[in-house]
Amino acid sequence: MKRRFVILDGSSLMYRAFYALPLLTASTGEYTNAIYGFSNMLAKLLQELQPDALVIAFDKGKKTFRNEMFPEYKGTRQKTPEELSSQIPLLHDFIRFYGIAWIEQAGYEADDIIGTLATQAAGEGFETFVVTGDRDALQLVRENLKVMLTKKGISEMKIYDEPAFLEEYQLRPLSLIDLKGLMGDASDNIPGVPGVGQKTATKLLAEYGSLENVLEHVHDISGKKLRERLMENKELALLSKRLATIECHVPDVKFLSEEYVVRPDRKGMQDFCRRYDLRTVWKNYERLFPETESAELPVAGKEDSLPLDYERLDRPEGLEELAAAEQAALAVGSSGKAPFFDVSGAMLMVLPRKKLFYIPKESALWENVPDILASLKEVWVFDAKRLYHEGFHCQKNFFDVSLAAYLLNPEASDYGIPSLAEEFCPELAIPASFSGEEELLAWNASILLRLGETLRRKLEAEGLCKLYTDMELPLAEVLAVMEENGVYVNREHLSRKSEEVDAKVAALEKEIHLLAGKEFNINSPKQLGEVLFDDLGLPPLKKTKTGYSTNAEVLESLRDRHPIVGQILSYRLWGKIRSTYLESIDELIDGRTKRVHTSFNQTVTATGRLSSSDPNLQNIPVRTEEGREIRALFEPGEGYDGLLSADYSQIELRLLAHMSGDSGFIRAFLDGEDIHARTAAEVFGIPLENVTPDLRRKAKAVNFGIVYGISDYGLSRDLRIPRKEAAEYIHRYFERYPGVKAFLDAMVEKAHRDGFVTTMFGRRRSLPGIKSSNFHQRSLAERMAMNTPIQGTAADIIKLAMAAAYRNLRKAGVASRIILQVHDELVLEVVDSEVEQVSAILRKSMEHVVELSVPLLIDIHVGKNWAEAK
């Protein structure tokens, strides 16, 4: 049998572990969630792989030999959060007490150490596994060398050998560096060839084999634009390939298997876990390295073990015990992507007996499961929206632990069952591995029961039950139905628009080069900075360690200084639209339905707003021509005549008026006045009829800025006016609307006192930064204290309105249906004969969902596509 060597990408997995779990702290106040996550992953790997040798590689410093080749390399990476960086020394101690060797080398990345050791070990005949969250490592795949890539947080892994890589990429593993040379890598700020995506790059490499061959045969490539891009960016492509190539010959790094044997320090680990209250970490360690007389960490109370023995039901006689149950926990096995899941079966833990039953989908009992669940008093579940896609329609007796956990801690990064178990049931040990899917489902059902009981008590204690039952749970079904409905995208129009945008980007590129007086790479911050500040003499507003800053804020402030700046901003915008929407939407059109099925995320934002992904429809530019052109691609599908948009009118300002109780603000809305014109009249001290469009524009910026806690600096930047003038606008605003000032001050005071703020409906948002000694963190928390009650309440209202509209449309039996929700807008596919009836239903559902001191109004428009309806 081959000996086995495992090497972990410590830097990558540490980040994954940190973001996979909510922030956890020891009694000392030190953050520990990255240690928890890393421990769970490590224990699972050791249990499953049982390596003969193991080592962990880390990055050392931000500067490597790649930065000498390309200073902007990884230049877009955000600074490591303090909550994570503070755990790095703890992680090093944890690894030391585990008895695992770890390596870092100045001037090189962890990838390079991994490449060096892994290829040496594979060459010596070791069965070698690289464990990482970074796809760059896939280039290392070869004989004896596999890559285990994290799929979801750190709980799931996919193993890549050569056939698996070929199946996914249609290329050899080493071709990944050629692929990156062509398409670049935004996460590492590797430029690649502008305008070349993965699909085009894969096609070129399939035909020519390597980047060098592509460039050598560039004149044989069809497509004038593509040829030009490749010729103009030849050196950039070759540089990008070098940047993406893992160095497999790092000096002084040698594979010596005997040095990488795990040698645990039991006493050291025990003391470490005691100090940082890491009970689950200790249990993981003890299972791997047991001792006859166990030195247990002190645990308050008695731990209950979770039952994993289950009975497999596939005959009708088994229904008797299920039908006699009062409550149940439900875990469903499935694969695939929403909304099309392939279900394998369901595990039920029934109460009061606490007995587990597994029902495979092919069982004769399967069709009875939904009726059984509906008859129970309560069913504990995870992700009710997903369950809907799996055939279990959302019911009032469902208790969704993920939604409950979200309400209790809306800033967590993961609401998966392992993470929830870590946070809310820390006394329970998470198994390092399971023998199969059915045993995993048994554990999930068991832990769902424990989580459900715990989270219900917490919801009751914090007054969040009504928010859960009246808002979040009913919404899950609405979102699931919208995801299944999808939205039709005219592929012919999409293709034509892609060609138009390609031409527009190319024209902008030529115009920019003409204005600059030379050709250069517009996507290179270094070259762009040299053109703007050295060649054209524009004032450099900000410098970074690698040169001039050319971020959006800097360019916006220079827009009036030279025509090239506006063209560059337009070039960036259209480039983003091309990559973010046109290219991605084409890949996301489902082959069966001819529609895009976006995912609506209910547990992502801290304010309670929904978000969407695959594609993200929340970020389409609002009220711009560019945004209209993207929206025009969304059309009614077969059987429908048009799209209808129902959009709340100034909902956040109306809520500010209601929640502040300011009489002047309220009166303006009650009288049906133009609120921005009224604000202009008040702030600038002029009659309403004398308000000019420019003054109204400024007042509008003040109105919306106040909602978001804007500063005089922020307003001066938005309006391009002196900071002193902006401060005067804000001062006058609060003089004219003293109730608003009092309300905002009260929210900040509440946050300082309680550590959190709430919406009208009781949704909480914790603001730990409010007590920070750091001025910037404290100021940010104070702004959140001002805007969260308004934004969060607006989010709550649109959720209630969606559920009401969905119910009322179904009750009316109309064919028209909701397909999208974006910010304060609902989009429906409608039949012409139903427009008047549907409009009336929406007005009733949306305008009267809550009674305020000012009217809630919606604007309704119908069109042949989303742009016309908007």
Side-chain angles (χ1 to χ4, degrees):
M1 181 181 290
K2 286 185 178 180
R3 290 180 296 169
R4 182 171 288 172
F5 172 56
V6 176
I7 181 165
L8 275 60
D9 184 343
S11 298
S12 167
L13 297 173
M14 175 182 65
Y15 273 86
R16 292 267 177 170
F18 175 77
Y19 288 109
L21 292 173
L23 285 175
L24 303 173
T25 55
S27 57
T28 59
E30 292 163 284
Y31 292 105
T32 57
N33 59 314
I35 311 299
Y36 265 108
F38 202 96
S39 164
N40 291 339
M41 177 210 62
L42 182 60
K44 183 178 181 182
L45 287 171
L46 288 170
Q47 181 78 24
E48 292 179 354
L49 297 180
Q50 298 186 2
D52 298 291
L54 175 71
V55 69
I56 303 177
F58 285 97
D59 293 329
K60 183 172 185 176
K62 293 184 177 180
K63 299 299 179 186
T64 69
F65 70 92
R66 292 179 179 85
N67 295 102
E68 296 175 9
M69 296 162 56
F70 185 61
E72 294 92 345
Y73 178 69
K74 290 193 176 182
T76 55
R77 290 283 177 96
Q78 295 183 350
K79 184 180 178 183
T80 304
E82 176 60 33
E83 295 85 350
L84 173 56
S85 59
S86 65
Q87 295 184 65
I88 294 174
L90 304 189
L91 186 62
H92 288 168
D93 286 343
F94 164 80
I95 292 168
R96 178 160 51 87
F97 295 134
Y98 238 103
I100 298 171
W102 59 276
I103 303 175
E104 59 182 13
Q105 183 97 319
Y108 293 90
E109 296 179 60
D111 280 354
D112 302 314
I113 296 168
I114 290 168
T116 301
L117 292 176
T119 53
Q120 289 180 17
E124 292 181 23
F126 276 77
E127 184 183 18
T128 303
F129 288 86
V130 171
V131 184
T132 181
D134 190 347
R135 284 184 170 268
D136 288 348
L138 295 176
Q139 65 186 266
L140 299 172
V141 170
R142 62 196 66 191
E143 185 181 358
N144 292 336
L145 201 166
K146 299 175 183 176
V147 171
M148 297 179 68
L149 198 65
T150 55
K151 285 177 62 181
K152 183 179 179 183
I154 53 172
S155 60
E156 295 180 23
M157 298 272 184
K158 179 174 180 179
I159 298 179
Y160 285 86
D161 54 13
E162 291 182 278
F165 185 92
L166 182 62
E167 181 182 354
E168 183 167 327
Y169 284 89
Q170 288 79 53
L171 297 168
R172 297 175 301 107
L174 195 57
S175 295
L176 183 63
I177 59 177
D178 299 280
L179 196 69
K180 292 289 180 74
L182 286 165
M183 62 180 279
D185 186 342
S187 64
D188 288 339
N189 203 31
I190 296 176
V193 177
V196 174
Q198 183 169 340
K199 193 185 294 184
T200 301
T202 302
K203 183 179 177 182
L204 289 171
L205 293 173
E207 184 172 355
Y208 294 105
S210 70
L211 171 63
E212 289 77 9
N213 277 348
V214 169
L215 297 174
E216 187 176 335
H217 296 86
V218 68
H219 295 291
D220 300 330
I221 294 172
S222 60
K224 181 181 176 184
K225 291 176 192 170
L226 180 58
R227 283 199 307 274
E228 289 176 351
R229 287 175 184 156
L230 290 168
M231 288 189 287
E232 291 170 2
N233 295 279
K234 176 181 178 181
E235 295 304 320
L236 200 61
L238 293 170
L239 170 64
S240 297
K241 178 176 178 177
R242 290 196 296 273
L243 292 172
T245 302
I246 292 176
E247 173 57 64
C248 292
H249 300 89
V250 176
D252 303 322
V253 173
K254 293 184 179 179
F255 174 69
L256 302 169
S257 61
E258 64 277 7
E259 292 188 9
Y260 303 141
V261 174
V262 177
R263 296 180 175 87
D265 177 355
R266 184 180 181 83
K267 180 64 168 60
M269 180 61 80
Q270 187 177 10
D271 292 342
F272 175 82
C273 291
R274 278 202 179 107
R275 177 181 175 185
Y276 297 109
D277 306 320
L278 299 169
R279 296 185 180 91
T280 302
V281 173
W282 174 249
K283 287 169 188 169
N284 285 339
Y285 187 88
E286 277 244 295
R287 280 198 303 274
L288 288 165
F289 309 112
E291 192 174 69
T292 307
E293 295 185 6
S294 172
E296 282 285 350
L297 287 170
V299 178
K302 184 179 179 181
E303 179 187 352
D304 295 325
S305 60
L306 294 179
L308 295 181
D309 293 331
Y310 59 90
E311 182 178 339
R312 191 180 177 93
L313 296 184
D314 50 18
R315 297 187 310 279
E317 305 86 75
L319 284 176
E320 295 178 8
E321 284 196 78
L322 290 181
E326 297 174 8
Q327 297 164 296
L330 168 69
V332 180
S334 64
S335 59
K337 182 178 182 295
F340 308 111
F341 288 108
D342 182 19
V343 177
S344 58
M347 186 73 67
L348 289 165
M349 169 174 267
V350 299
L351 298 183
R353 294 189 59 194
K354 288 193 176 181
K355 190 171 180 181
L356 284 163
F357 296 95
Y358 178 72
I359 305 174
K361 189 176 182 182
E362 63 271 14
S363 163
L365 304 183
W366 183 256
E367 63 183 22
N368 301 107
V369 176
D371 290 337
I372 292 170
L373 295 175
S375 69
L376 300 181
K377 178 183 176 183
E378 186 166 44
V379 182
W380 287 281
V381 302
F382 173 79
D383 195 350
K385 177 164 71 74
R386 175 167 181 151
L387 284 175
Y388 188 97
H389 295 313
E390 293 166 329
F392 299 89
H393 286 198
C394 306
Q395 299 164 171
K396 290 182 180 179
N397 64 344
F398 278 6
F399 185 86
D400 185 339
V401 298
S402 60
L403 291 180
Y406 170 65
L407 291 175
L408 290 164
N409 182 10
E411 298 209 355
S413 58
D414 181 23
Y415 298 96
I417 291 178
S419 298
L420 297 184
E422 285 281 2
E423 182 175 5
F424 295 105
C425 304
E427 74 280 4
L428 291 174
I430 299 176
S433 62
F434 297 96
S435 61
E437 181 189 65
E438 291 176 23
E439 187 176 291
L440 170 63
L441 291 177
W443 187 82
N444 282 343
S446 300
I447 196 67
L448 278 173
L449 170 62
R450 181 70 63 86
L451 284 169
E453 293 171 338
T454 302
L455 293 170
R456 178 178 290 289
R457 289 195 299 271
K458 287 183 176 289
L459 285 182
E460 290 170 350
E462 298 195 12
L464 294 169
C465 287
K466 188 174 176 60
L467 196 65
Y468 170 82
T469 56
D470 294 356
M471 188 181 300
E472 296 295 348
L473 183 62
L475 183 67
E477 178 173 336
V478 182
L479 298 178
V481 172
M482 289 165 59
E483 290 178 354
E484 290 186 357
N485 290 342
V487 56
Y488 178 75
V489 177
N490 189 313
R491 206 157 207 162
E492 183 182 338
H493 292 175
L494 177 65
S495 177
R496 193 181 309 138
K497 180 56 61 180
S498 295
E499 292 176 2
E500 289 177 14
V501 171
D502 282 346
K504 191 168 292 190
V505 171
L508 283 167
E509 185 176 36
K510 287 183 179 178
E511 179 66 19
I512 290 166
H513 288 161
L514 186 64
L515 290 167
K518 68 177 185 182
E519 292 190 1
F520 67 101
N521 179 14
I522 305 169
N523 297 306
S524 165
K526 184 174 186 295
Q527 293 184 37
L528 179 60
E530 290 171 354
V531 167
L532 295 178
F533 307 116
D534 293 338
D535 299 348
L536 300 178
L538 295 176
L541 302 180
K542 190 189 295 185
K543 291 200 79 171
T544 66
K545 292 180 180 178
T546 57
Y548 300 111
S549 172
T550 58
N551 63 24
E553 183 182 355
V554 169
L555 293 184
E556 280 292 349
S557 65
L558 296 172
R559 186 189 282 270
D560 298 331
R561 299 292 190 103
H562 196 286
I564 196 174
V565 180
Q567 300 290 68
I568 291 167
L569 287 167
S570 185
Y571 173 87
R572 285 184 176 179
L573 175 61
W574 283 111
K576 181 179 179 181
I577 285 174
R578 177 173 61 188
S579 60
T580 306
Y581 295 109
L582 300 178
E583 292 176 357
S584 65
I585 287 174
D586 181 58
E587 294 174 358
L588 291 169
I589 296 175
D590 187 87
R592 290 165 289 178
T593 66
K594 311 303 181 188
R595 289 168 172 262
V596 169
H597 298 269
T598 190
S599 295
F600 293 98
N601 308 311
Q602 202 171 350
T603 59
V604 169
T605 70
T607 60
R609 276 191 177 275
L610 295 172
S611 68
S612 67
S613 54
D614 297 327
N616 178 2
L617 301 176
Q618 308 285 345
N619 287 343
I620 297 176
V622 179
R623 296 185 182 87
T624 65
E625 184 56 36
E626 295 86 355
R628 283 184 58 80
E629 292 189 31
I630 298 302
R631 284 186 169 87
L633 300 172
F634 295 85
E635 301 178 2
E638 186 177 353
Y640 295 90
D641 301 310
L643 295 187
L644 180 150
S645 167
D647 198 355
Y648 274 114
S649 172
Q650 301 173 332
I651 186 172
E652 291 183 342
L653 294 180
R654 293 173 189 271
L655 285 172
L656 181 59
H658 171 79
M659 296 174 75
S660 69
D662 186 277
S663 57
F665 218 29
I666 291 173
R667 175 53 52 193
F669 279 117
L670 290 176
D671 292 344
E673 293 182 337
D674 178 333
I675 191 63
H676 301 312
R678 167 53 60 192
T679 298
E682 296 285 353
V683 169
F684 301 115
I686 59 176
L688 186 61
E689 58 271 19
N690 290 350
V691 172
T692 65
D694 184 58
L695 290 178
R696 184 186 182 278
R697 178 183 65 83
K698 291 178 178 178
K700 182 177 180 180
V702 176
N703 268 329
F704 285 113
I706 293 299
V707 171
Y708 290 90
I710 201 167
S711 64
D712 53 3
Y713 169 75
L715 185 61
S716 70
R717 185 188 59 204
D718 290 350
L719 292 178
R720 298 183 202 162
I721 58 175
R723 191 168 176 177
K724 185 177 179 181
E725 186 178 343
E728 182 61 24
Y729 287 175
I730 294 173
H731 176 71
R732 286 187 206 161
Y733 182 96
F734 286 137
E735 276 189 337
R736 299 303 190 275
Y737 300 123
V740 173
K741 180 72 164 67
F743 168 74
L744 296 176
D745 288 345
M747 290 300 98
V748 173
E749 182 183 342
K750 173 181 170 56
H752 277 284
R753 182 182 67 248
D754 302 335
F756 65 88
V757 289
T758 60
T759 69
M760 266 177 52
F761 298 90
R763 186 185 301 276
R764 285 191 181 197
R765 183 179 187 181
S766 296
L767 298 170
I770 202 80
K771 301 185 186 301
S772 173
S773 58
N774 182 289
F775 172 77
H776 294 292
Q777 290 183 4
R778 191 170 65 253
S779 297
L780 176 61
E782 289 176 348
R783 289 199 297 277
M784 289 179 181
M786 295 181 212
N787 66 49
T788 293
I790 303 295
Q791 287 185 58
T793 300
D796 289 345
I797 287 175
I798 191 69
K799 285 180 174 180
L800 288 173
M802 287 173 70
Y806 172 74
R807 285 195 307 270
N808 293 331
L809 288 168
R810 291 190 68 180
K811 186 177 179 181
V814 296
S816 301
R817 58 187 188 171
I818 305 171
I819 57 171
L820 293 176
Q821 186 273 339
V822 179
H823 302 306
D824 306 322
E825 174 190 14
L826 294 185
V827 181
L828 290 78
E829 279 184 319
V830 293
V831 178
D832 282 345
S833 60
E834 295 177 351
V835 168
E836 186 175 342
Q837 181 185 7
V838 167
S839 297
I841 291 172
L842 291 171
R843 290 198 186 280
K844 176 184 176 181
S845 304
M846 298 177 72
E847 294 184 344
H848 301 287
V849 70
V850 63
E851 293 302 318
L852 304 178
S853 56
V854 298
L856 268 180
L857 300 176
I858 61 171
D859 298 320
I860 294 179
H861 299 284
V862 181
K864 291 299 181 185
N865 58 54
W866 190 10
E868 286 186 17
K870 183 66 175 169

